Amino acid sequence: MAEKLKIATGDKEARYALLYEQMVAILAGEEDQVARMANAAAMIHHTFGFFWTGFYRVIGEELVLGPFQGPLACMRIRYGRGVCGTAWKERRSIVVPDVEKFPGHIACSTLSRSEIVVPMVRDEEVCGVLDIDSETLATFDETDRVWLEKIVAII
Ligand code: SME
């Protein structure tokens, strides 16, 4: 567990495959959800060098900021608001190639240009979301969606 994260240098598919394998090993035996989210955010973030990578947890009627890597972010997002609140409401992953074209997008930073949000589901309910922002347009595609859904399923 003390060893450094190996960062794959291949294509996106290869990077996710190694990331997933390492995440399974690193999260094994840790039951605390915040600890799991914290290391998952760090691993995803540093594998790809994203702008912002983090979790929001459903608490009551809002998403509340959880473990993340990157600059300061908004702390609470209401149900159905922004990309995160929409992913929660619609219970589906949302890939946003250009945040300026997403109605109601919440700009935590003006540097963010594209985004992906993947809901975390426990006992049929959304319990949080994984949110990743990129400084580049159209960073995320189906490969990201499929792998990130696989990743949130083990957190
Ligand atoms: N852009 C998100 C808000 C969270 S920040 O990107 C970290 C949204 O529209 O929900």
Side-chain angles (χ1 to χ4, degrees), residues 74 104-110 112:
C74 46
H105 167 259
I106 300 164
C108 293
S109 166
T110 52
S112 173

Side-chain angles (χ1 to χ4, degrees), residues 52 56 73-74 77 81-85 104-108 115 131 133:
W52 194 92
Y56 284 89
C74 46
I77 298 172
R81 297 297 174 89
V83 187
C84 292
H105 167 259
I106 300 164
C108 293
E115 180 164 1
D131 178 18
D133 287 22

Side-chain angles (χ1 to χ4, degrees), residues 7-16 18 47-48:
I7 297 187
T9 51
D11 63 13
K12 192 187 265 191
E13 191 71 39
R15 286 181 187 223
Y16 272 117
L18 180 59
T47 293
F48 293 100

Side-chain angles (χ1 to χ4, degrees), residues 13-34:
E13 191 71 39
R15 286 181 187 223
Y16 272 117
L18 180 59
L19 171 65
Y20 183 81
E21 189 186 307
Q22 292 185 108
M23 201 175 280
V24 168
I26 280 167
L27 300 185
E30 178 51 67
E31 285 176 12
D32 185 84
Q33 189 78 9
V34 172

Side-chain angles (χ1 to χ4, degrees), residues 95-146:
V95 174
V96 183
D98 181 349
V99 295
E100 286 181 14
K101 297 200 172 110
F102 187 94
H105 167 259
I106 300 164
C108 293
S109 166
T110 52
L111 295 174
S112 173
R113 307 292 301 283
S114 61
E115 180 164 1
I116 185 169
V117 178
V118 178
M120 306 174 73
V121 178
R122 291 279 176 282
D123 302 325
E124 313 279 307
E125 297 285 326
V126 175
C127 61
V129 300
L130 167 64
D131 178 18
I132 306 178
D133 287 22
S134 165
E135 286 177 288
T136 310
L137 287 170
T139 294
F140 307 103
D141 56 21
E142 277 297 288
T143 302
D144 298 278
R145 184 186 64 75
V146 168

